[in-house]
Amino acid sequence: MLSRFIAVVYLAASVTSSVNFDNLNTAAAAVVAANGASGFITPSSNLKGWGMTSTTASEQAALRIAATWQLAAAAVLLAPVESLSSSGPYAAAAAILLSIPSIETIGGDMAPSAAWIAFLAGLGKYASQNDVHPGVNTGLWVVNSLAWYLYPEKQSSIYGMAKLSKKATALQTVQGQAMLSTAAYLGALQLGRTRAEAFAVSWAVQSATALRFALTKADDVDCSRSGVYIWAALSAGIAALALA
């Protein structure tokens, strides 16, 4: 709810004034970070804000994991483009590290997570001191985001998690959404788009995935469709502002 309020206030101010991209990027990253922080610190209250009044520990853990990737997405948006080959892996490693207690709650195997943290931290360190092709970072985000967004149940099985409820599995796609919007941003940059254009692509992906969630999953998990529609519309508006 906090993130939507911030977005409404910012967009309302933007329609009456000239939008500087750096300010827009900072404000948008703050929206994502606020949403992530809210989901991570108070998952139960966050879920209630979306209409999910009754949730289990596993479902709250699934939201906490998704929230860490929203925080990572915000970090990537704020990072200088020239440092993304290192900051991208660092952000992903931090997200997994923050997710460890929640992964344990769900019953996941700690070994794959530990291996990912070590690999990503090592890659980030190496990339900060050496020339690493940006496709390495982008490829990792693209592959993993698609896996979690399209096949959350399969991913849960790979990582040794217990069979989750329909609501928890739907919340795992929120994790995939955050990762996918970041992958879209990185991919657009690698294809030679400007930072503003890549930002617009990222928020367009957020809008599209939110709309898909509202149409295909919201009713199944007792989530407020209207709230998700609002988020989809706001995300589309933020994308449009970047190209104005």
Side-chain angles (χ1 to χ4, degrees), residues 152 165-175 177 213 217-218 221:
S165 68
K166 183 180 290 188
K167 188 178 295 185
T169 300
L171 290 170
Q172 286 182 316
T173 67
V174 176
Q175 170 188 339
Q177 289 173 15
F213 187 94
K217 298 183 183 298
V221 298

Side-chain angles (χ1 to χ4, degrees), residues 125-146:
K125 178 67 173 177
Y126 182 81
S128 69
Q129 300 173 340
N130 301 275
D131 185 22
V132 174
H133 193 282
V136 176
N137 177 46
T138 302
L140 287 169
W141 278 91
V142 169
V143 171
N144 284 285
S145 65
L146 288 173

